[in-house]
Amino acid sequence: QVQLVESGGGLVQAGTSLRLSCRTSGGTFSTYAMGWFRQAPGKEREFVAAISRSGRSTYSADSVKGRSTISKVNTRNTVYLQMNSLKPEDTAVYYCAADRSGVATAPNVYDYWGQGTQVTVSS
């Protein structure tokens, strides 16, 4: 049973930074591409960033491009999302997900999901 546990969310002021972590267990982390998604109240879940199995290739949504960095440490079974210059519109529940078949931006192709961590950005 693969489990993903996010951490690092919280209430922060606009313009500050936050690093989210997602630790996996129960599977072979190095064989998964990983993604971060977010969902704001009343909105659909949207892609934020993704990283390949090796960590060499990364992708990010236009809404966070230049403000976020996704990284993957296979020896720690952990994927990180560093977000800088946070805006109130970044407020959402952030989810990490694992994909056995390869890196993707569509949420429906991911195999495993965490429970999410709330990020609230105040203006």
Side-chain angles (χ1 to χ4, degrees):
Q1 183 79 8
V2 178
Q3 292 186 322
L4 289 73
V5 180
E6 302 95 336
S7 61
L11 173 61
V12 297
Q13 289 190 329
T16 61
S17 300
L18 207 60
R19 189 177 80 158
L20 304 181
S21 301
C22 173
R23 192 173 191 283
T24 70
S25 61
T28 307
F29 183 73
S30 61
T31 65
Y32 302 140
M34 301 296 295
W36 284 97
F37 295 81
R38 66 187 182 186
Q39 188 166 17
K43 295 188 176 181
E44 293 188 354
R45 192 167 297 190
E46 65 172 2
F47 169 74
V48 178
I51 190 166
S52 62
R53 295 184 183 98
S54 66
R56 296 191 187 98
S57 298
T58 62
Y59 308 85
S60 59
D62 288 342
S63 58
V64 300
K65 197 161 290 184
R67 300 190 295 120
S68 69
T69 302
I70 185 171
S71 57
K72 186 175 187 270
V73 182
N74 286 337
T75 54
R76 296 180 184 173
N77 291 350
T78 302
V79 61
Y80 302 96
L81 181 67
Q82 175 73 39
M83 294 195 66
N84 304 318
S85 301
L86 284 161
K87 305 175 182 180
E89 50 264 44
D90 293 319
T91 295
V93 177
Y94 283 71
Y95 299 90
C96 72
D99 184 359
R100 294 174 296 178
S101 59
V103 66
T105 61
N108 61 307
V109 303
Y110 281 77
D111 301 293
Y112 308 106
W113 290 83
Q115 293 299 306
T117 185
Q118 176 71 47
V119 173
T120 303
V121 183
S122 63
S123 57

